Amino acid sequence: MQQGVENADCLSLAAGLVDPQTLPVELVKEAADQILTPETGPFALQYGTTTGSDGLRDVFKDYLSELEDGSPLAASLPAGQIMLTTGSQQLLALVSQAIFNPGDICLVAAPTYFVYLGVLDGVGAQTIPVHTDGDGMCPQALDEKLAELAEAGQLHRVKMVYVVSYHDNPAGVSVSNERRPQLVSTVKKWSQDQQIFLLEDAAYRELHYDGPRQRSLWSYDDSYSRDEDQTVILSQTFSKSFSPGIRVGVGVLPRQLLKPVADLKGNEDFGSTHLSQNIVASVLQSGAYAKHVQRLIDSYREKRDAMLAAAEEFFTEIPGVSWLHPQGGLYVWMTLPDSVPTGFSSRLFEQATSVDKVMYVPGELCYPSSWEERPTNQMRLSYGVLSPADLRESMRRLAAAVNTVLAESAS
Ligand SMILES: Cc1ncc(COP(=O)(O)O)c(C=O)c1O
C-alpha cells in the first residue's frame, strides 16, 4: 500500500483490487431499494446478531450446496455453523485469535497470502512453510513435516494448516482434486492426540475461468456428518465475486470453534453490517448474483489472457524466466533468474518503479520472513485492475526493467 502511494505514477500490477469497472453498482442500488421499504427497511437498518443474519446464512447454505455439486455435507450443514463476518479477513483473524497461543505453530503453503502471514505474526504463531507446487500444497511434504515435528517433540505446538485452495494469492495455483482429500486425511492423521485445524481459505473460489469446478477441501471432512470434533474451517467471501465494499465474509466453523469465535466477535462488534448481509441475501436469492459472477468471469478471463499473451510476447526471449498459467483468480506468478532479486530494496524494483514506471509485489513477501531459504526472485503480477491494453503496456515495461538489470549484471 505504502509503495503504491509513493509510486502513484506507475502502472500497477501490484494492487490485488477487484476491477472497478465490474463492481455491481446498479445491482446493489436495486437490492437496497427493495430492502429499504417501510416494512423491511427498519429491520435491515437495525443491529443483527453476532453470527449474522439467519436469512443470509440459510441462503448461503443452499448456495454452498450448489458450489459443492449437491454434496450431502453442505445440504445437512446446520446454518448455526455458518458465521458471517466483516470480509473473510475478519474471520481469518478471529479464528487465529481463538486457536493460537504465542509459540504455537501454523504450517502454511509456500508461497501464501502475505496478509495472513501478518495475522499469524500478530498472534505470536511460528509459521513453517510446506512444499507447494503447481498442484498446491504437497500432502507428502505436509506429512513429512508433521513427522519431523513429532520426532522433535513439537507436535503439540502445531495448531493449524493454512491453505488457499482455489487460484491462490499469490501464485494462482489450486489444490488438485487428488490432493484435496489427501490434505484433509493427513491433518486428521496427526490430530489423534490434539486438535490440528485445516483452514481452507477459498477467497477466489468463484473466479474460475477454465475447466470443471472443484469441490472444497471442507467437503472431504466427513466428521461434519458425525457427532464428533471437526477439522476443516472453510472461509469464503463476497469481496472478490461481488464487492469488497459490501464487506461480507462467510465461515463454516467446526462446532468446537463456534463459541470461542462468536465470543471474540461479540467483544469486537457483536455482528457485521446487517444491511450488507441483507443485500447479499437478496441478490443471491434473485439469481442476479449468479449472472453477475458470470459477467465477471468473462471479463477477468479476457484480462488473464491479455497478461499471459503479453508475458509470451515480452518475456519468452529472456533466459531463465518462467510463469504459471492460472485457471482463475487475479494473479500471475513469475520467476526470474536467481541473479535478479525482486524485493523492495532490489535494483529491479528501483528500475521498474523509478524509470520504467511499473509496479509489482515482490514474491519474498509471500513466504515466512523467518525462512532463510525463501526465494527472492519472484513477482506477483495482478491483472485485476488494469485494462487489457494497459496490462500489455505494463508487461512491456516490466520486461524492459528486467532486461536493464540483466544487462547491468552481465557487464
Ligand atoms: C487469499 C485471501 N484471503 C482473504 C482475503 C480477504 O478478503 P476479504 O476480507 O475482502 O474477504 C484476501 C484479500 O485479498 C485474499 O487474497
Side-chain angles (χ1 to χ4, degrees), residues 16 86-90 92 113 115 162 164 168-169 201-204 235-240 244 247-249 331 380:
T86 305
S88 57
Q89 192 62 39
Q90 186 189 42
L92 302 182
Y113 173 43
V115 180
Y162 173 68
V164 184
D168 73 7
N169 177 0
D201 182 342
Y204 297 89
S235 170
Q236 292 201 188
T237 180
F238 288 94
S239 289
K240 310 297 174 184
R247 292 312 290 127
V248 176
Y331 311 106
R380 188 195 78 175

Short mmCIF file of all heavy atoms in Angstrom, two decimals, residues 16 86-90 92 113 115 162 164 168-169 201-204 235-240 244 247-249 331 380, ligand 1:
data_model
loop_
_atom_site.label_atom_id
_atom_site.label_comp_id
_atom_site.label_asym_id
_atom_site.label_seq_id
_atom_site.Cartn_x
_atom_site.Cartn_y
_atom_site.Cartn_z
N GLY A 16 -4.00 -5.81 -5.38
CA GLY A 16 -4.85 -7.01 -5.50
C GLY A 16 -6.32 -6.63 -5.54
O GLY A 16 -7.17 -7.42 -5.15
N THR A 86 -17.03 -9.51 8.77
CA THR A 86 -16.73 -8.30 8.01
C THR A 86 -15.59 -8.61 7.05
O THR A 86 -14.42 -8.48 7.39
CB THR A 86 -16.36 -7.17 8.98
OG1 THR A 86 -17.43 -7.03 9.92
CG2 THR A 86 -16.16 -5.85 8.24
N GLY A 87 -15.96 -9.11 5.88
CA GLY A 87 -14.96 -9.67 4.96
C GLY A 87 -14.42 -10.96 5.55
O GLY A 87 -14.61 -11.24 6.75
N SER A 88 -13.75 -11.76 4.71
CA SER A 88 -13.21 -13.01 5.27
C SER A 88 -11.96 -12.72 6.10
O SER A 88 -11.54 -13.53 6.91
CB SER A 88 -12.91 -14.01 4.16
OG SER A 88 -12.02 -13.47 3.21
N GLN A 89 -11.37 -11.52 5.91
CA GLN A 89 -10.19 -11.17 6.69
C GLN A 89 -10.52 -11.21 8.19
O GLN A 89 -9.72 -11.67 9.00
CB GLN A 89 -9.72 -9.77 6.29
CG GLN A 89 -8.36 -9.39 6.81
CD GLN A 89 -7.26 -10.30 6.30
OE1 GLN A 89 -7.25 -10.70 5.13
NE2 GLN A 89 -6.33 -10.66 7.16
N GLN A 90 -11.72 -10.74 8.55
CA GLN A 90 -12.09 -10.78 9.97
C GLN A 90 -12.22 -12.22 10.45
O GLN A 90 -11.79 -12.55 11.56
CB GLN A 90 -13.41 -10.04 10.22
CG GLN A 90 -13.71 -9.95 11.71
CD GLN A 90 -15.09 -9.41 12.04
OE1 GLN A 90 -16.07 -9.77 11.42
NE2 GLN A 90 -15.15 -8.55 13.05
N LEU A 92 -10.55 -14.81 9.30
CA LEU A 92 -9.20 -15.36 9.45
C LEU A 92 -8.58 -14.87 10.76
O LEU A 92 -7.94 -15.63 11.50
CB LEU A 92 -8.29 -14.93 8.28
CG LEU A 92 -8.73 -15.32 6.86
CD1 LEU A 92 -7.69 -14.85 5.84
CD2 LEU A 92 -8.94 -16.81 6.72
N TYR A 113 -0.71 -16.29 1.12
CA TYR A 113 -1.32 -14.95 1.24
C TYR A 113 -0.58 -14.15 2.31
O TYR A 113 -0.66 -14.47 3.48
CB TYR A 113 -2.78 -15.17 1.60
CG TYR A 113 -3.60 -13.95 1.92
CD1 TYR A 113 -3.51 -12.79 1.17
CD2 TYR A 113 -4.53 -13.99 2.96
CE1 TYR A 113 -4.31 -11.69 1.48
CE2 TYR A 113 -5.33 -12.90 3.27
CZ TYR A 113 -5.21 -11.75 2.51
OH TYR A 113 -6.00 -10.67 2.82
N VAL A 115 -0.90 -11.28 3.74
CA VAL A 115 -1.61 -10.58 4.82
C VAL A 115 -1.89 -11.56 5.97
O VAL A 115 -1.81 -11.21 7.14
CB VAL A 115 -2.90 -9.92 4.31
CG1 VAL A 115 -3.63 -9.21 5.44
CG2 VAL A 115 -2.58 -8.92 3.20
N TYR A 162 -2.70 -23.95 6.96
CA TYR A 162 -3.43 -22.91 6.20
C TYR A 162 -3.18 -23.09 4.71
O TYR A 162 -2.03 -23.12 4.27
CB TYR A 162 -2.96 -21.53 6.65
CG TYR A 162 -3.51 -20.38 5.80
CD1 TYR A 162 -4.87 -20.06 5.84
CD2 TYR A 162 -2.68 -19.62 4.98
CE1 TYR A 162 -5.37 -19.00 5.07
CE2 TYR A 162 -3.18 -18.56 4.23
CZ TYR A 162 -4.53 -18.26 4.28
OH TYR A 162 -5.03 -17.22 3.53
N VAL A 164 -4.73 -21.72 0.80
CA VAL A 164 -5.67 -21.01 -0.09
C VAL A 164 -5.94 -22.00 -1.23
O VAL A 164 -5.06 -22.28 -2.04
CB VAL A 164 -5.07 -19.69 -0.62
CG1 VAL A 164 -6.10 -18.93 -1.46
CG2 VAL A 164 -4.59 -18.82 0.54
N ASP A 168 -4.84 -19.45 -5.89
CA ASP A 168 -4.44 -18.75 -4.67
C ASP A 168 -3.77 -17.41 -4.92
O ASP A 168 -3.36 -17.07 -6.03
CB ASP A 168 -3.58 -19.66 -3.77
CG ASP A 168 -2.18 -19.89 -4.31
OD1 ASP A 168 -1.79 -19.26 -5.31
OD2 ASP A 168 -1.46 -20.71 -3.72
N ASN A 169 -3.72 -16.68 -3.86
CA ASN A 169 -2.98 -15.44 -3.77
C ASN A 169 -1.70 -15.82 -3.03
O ASN A 169 -1.80 -16.21 -1.86
CB ASN A 169 -3.81 -14.43 -2.96
CG ASN A 169 -3.10 -13.11 -2.75
OD1 ASN A 169 -1.98 -12.93 -3.19
ND2 ASN A 169 -3.76 -12.18 -2.06
N ASP A 201 -8.90 -21.37 2.93
CA ASP A 201 -9.26 -20.02 2.50
C ASP A 201 -9.66 -20.11 1.03
O ASP A 201 -8.81 -20.33 0.16
CB ASP A 201 -8.06 -19.09 2.71
CG ASP A 201 -8.34 -17.65 2.33
OD1 ASP A 201 -9.31 -17.40 1.60
OD2 ASP A 201 -7.56 -16.77 2.77
N ALA A 202 -10.96 -19.99 0.78
CA ALA A 202 -11.48 -20.17 -0.59
C ALA A 202 -11.88 -18.82 -1.20
O ALA A 202 -12.90 -18.72 -1.89
CB ALA A 202 -12.66 -21.14 -0.56
N ALA A 203 -11.07 -17.79 -0.94
CA ALA A 203 -11.43 -16.43 -1.35
C ALA A 203 -11.67 -16.30 -2.86
O ALA A 203 -12.48 -15.48 -3.29
CB ALA A 203 -10.35 -15.44 -0.90
N TYR A 204 -10.94 -17.08 -3.66
CA TYR A 204 -11.04 -16.91 -5.12
C TYR A 204 -11.85 -18.03 -5.78
O TYR A 204 -11.79 -18.22 -6.99
CB TYR A 204 -9.62 -16.84 -5.73
CG TYR A 204 -8.88 -15.63 -5.21
CD1 TYR A 204 -8.12 -15.70 -4.04
CD2 TYR A 204 -9.00 -14.39 -5.84
CE1 TYR A 204 -7.49 -14.58 -3.52
CE2 TYR A 204 -8.36 -13.26 -5.33
CZ TYR A 204 -7.62 -13.37 -4.18
OH TYR A 204 -7.01 -12.25 -3.66
N SER A 235 -13.40 -20.80 4.72
CA SER A 235 -13.56 -19.34 4.69
C SER A 235 -13.87 -18.90 3.26
O SER A 235 -13.13 -19.23 2.33
CB SER A 235 -12.24 -18.70 5.17
OG SER A 235 -12.26 -17.32 4.94
N GLN A 236 -14.98 -18.21 3.08
CA GLN A 236 -15.34 -17.67 1.75
C GLN A 236 -15.66 -16.18 1.88
O GLN A 236 -15.82 -15.67 2.98
CB GLN A 236 -16.54 -18.42 1.17
CG GLN A 236 -16.18 -19.85 0.83
CD GLN A 236 -17.11 -20.52 -0.19
OE1 GLN A 236 -16.98 -21.69 -0.41
NE2 GLN A 236 -18.02 -19.78 -0.81
N THR A 237 -15.77 -15.54 0.75
CA THR A 237 -16.01 -14.09 0.78
C THR A 237 -16.82 -13.65 -0.44
O THR A 237 -16.74 -14.28 -1.50
CB THR A 237 -14.67 -13.32 0.80
OG1 THR A 237 -14.94 -11.92 0.83
CG2 THR A 237 -13.79 -13.62 -0.40
N PHE A 238 -17.60 -12.59 -0.26
CA PHE A 238 -18.28 -11.97 -1.40
C PHE A 238 -17.49 -10.79 -1.94
O PHE A 238 -17.97 -10.06 -2.80
CB PHE A 238 -19.70 -11.56 -1.00
CG PHE A 238 -20.61 -12.76 -0.83
CD1 PHE A 238 -20.80 -13.32 0.42
CD2 PHE A 238 -21.20 -13.35 -1.93
CE1 PHE A 238 -21.59 -14.44 0.59
CE2 PHE A 238 -22.00 -14.48 -1.78
CZ PHE A 238 -22.20 -15.02 -0.52
N SER A 239 -16.26 -10.60 -1.42
CA SER A 239 -15.45 -9.45 -1.87
C SER A 239 -14.99 -9.60 -3.31
O SER A 239 -15.03 -8.64 -4.07
CB SER A 239 -14.20 -9.32 -1.00
OG SER A 239 -14.54 -8.88 0.28
N LYS A 240 -14.49 -10.76 -3.66
CA LYS A 240 -13.91 -10.93 -5.00
C LYS A 240 -15.00 -11.14 -6.04
O LYS A 240 -14.89 -10.68 -7.16
CB LYS A 240 -12.95 -12.13 -5.01
CG LYS A 240 -11.91 -12.12 -3.89
CD LYS A 240 -10.98 -10.94 -3.97
CE LYS A 240 -10.06 -10.88 -2.77
NZ LYS A 240 -9.22 -9.70 -2.75
N PRO A 244 -15.94 -5.79 -2.54
CA PRO A 244 -15.24 -5.72 -1.25
C PRO A 244 -15.82 -4.63 -0.35
O PRO A 244 -15.72 -4.72 0.87
CB PRO A 244 -13.79 -5.40 -1.62
CG PRO A 244 -13.77 -5.03 -3.05
CD PRO A 244 -15.07 -5.44 -3.67
N ARG A 247 -18.27 -5.88 2.14
CA ARG A 247 -17.60 -6.49 3.30
C ARG A 247 -18.40 -7.64 3.92
O ARG A 247 -18.70 -7.62 5.12
CB ARG A 247 -17.30 -5.47 4.40
CG ARG A 247 -16.31 -4.40 4.21
CD ARG A 247 -14.94 -4.62 3.67
NE ARG A 247 -13.93 -5.30 4.41
CZ ARG A 247 -13.27 -6.34 3.90
NH1 ARG A 247 -13.58 -6.83 2.70
NH2 ARG A 247 -12.32 -6.90 4.57
N VAL A 248 -18.76 -8.62 3.12
CA VAL A 248 -19.40 -9.81 3.70
C VAL A 248 -18.50 -11.02 3.47
O VAL A 248 -18.23 -11.40 2.32
CB VAL A 248 -20.81 -10.06 3.11
CG1 VAL A 248 -21.40 -11.36 3.67
CG2 VAL A 248 -21.75 -8.90 3.46
N GLY A 249 -18.04 -11.60 4.56
CA GLY A 249 -17.30 -12.86 4.52
C GLY A 249 -18.13 -13.92 5.20
O GLY A 249 -19.03 -13.61 6.00
N TYR A 331 -4.11 -13.42 -10.29
CA TYR A 331 -2.66 -13.24 -10.28
C TYR A 331 -1.90 -14.20 -11.21
O TYR A 331 -2.27 -15.36 -11.36
CB TYR A 331 -2.12 -13.48 -8.86
CG TYR A 331 -2.90 -12.72 -7.82
CD1 TYR A 331 -3.79 -13.38 -6.97
CD2 TYR A 331 -2.78 -11.33 -7.71
CE1 TYR A 331 -4.53 -12.67 -6.02
CE2 TYR A 331 -3.53 -10.62 -6.78
CZ TYR A 331 -4.40 -11.30 -5.93
OH TYR A 331 -5.14 -10.60 -5.01
N ARG A 380 4.55 -11.24 -7.88
CA ARG A 380 3.11 -11.44 -8.08
C ARG A 380 2.61 -10.33 -8.98
O ARG A 380 2.77 -9.14 -8.65
CB ARG A 380 2.36 -11.41 -6.74
CG ARG A 380 0.90 -11.81 -6.89
CD ARG A 380 0.06 -11.44 -5.70
NE ARG A 380 -0.29 -10.03 -5.69
CZ ARG A 380 -1.11 -9.45 -4.80
NH1 ARG A 380 -1.63 -10.17 -3.83
NH2 ARG A 380 -1.38 -8.16 -4.85
C1 LIG B 1 -6.38 -15.21 -0.07
C2 LIG B 1 -7.20 -14.13 0.52
N1 LIG B 1 -7.92 -14.40 1.61
C3 LIG B 1 -8.67 -13.47 2.20
C4 LIG B 1 -8.73 -12.18 1.72
C5 LIG B 1 -9.55 -11.17 2.46
O1 LIG B 1 -10.54 -10.58 1.69
P1 LIG B 1 -11.89 -10.00 2.29
O2 LIG B 1 -11.65 -9.62 3.72
O3 LIG B 1 -12.22 -8.84 1.46
O4 LIG B 1 -12.90 -11.11 2.21
C6 LIG B 1 -7.98 -11.83 0.58
C7 LIG B 1 -7.99 -10.44 0.06
O5 LIG B 1 -7.28 -10.07 -0.83
C8 LIG B 1 -7.19 -12.84 -0.03
O6 LIG B 1 -6.44 -12.58 -1.11
#
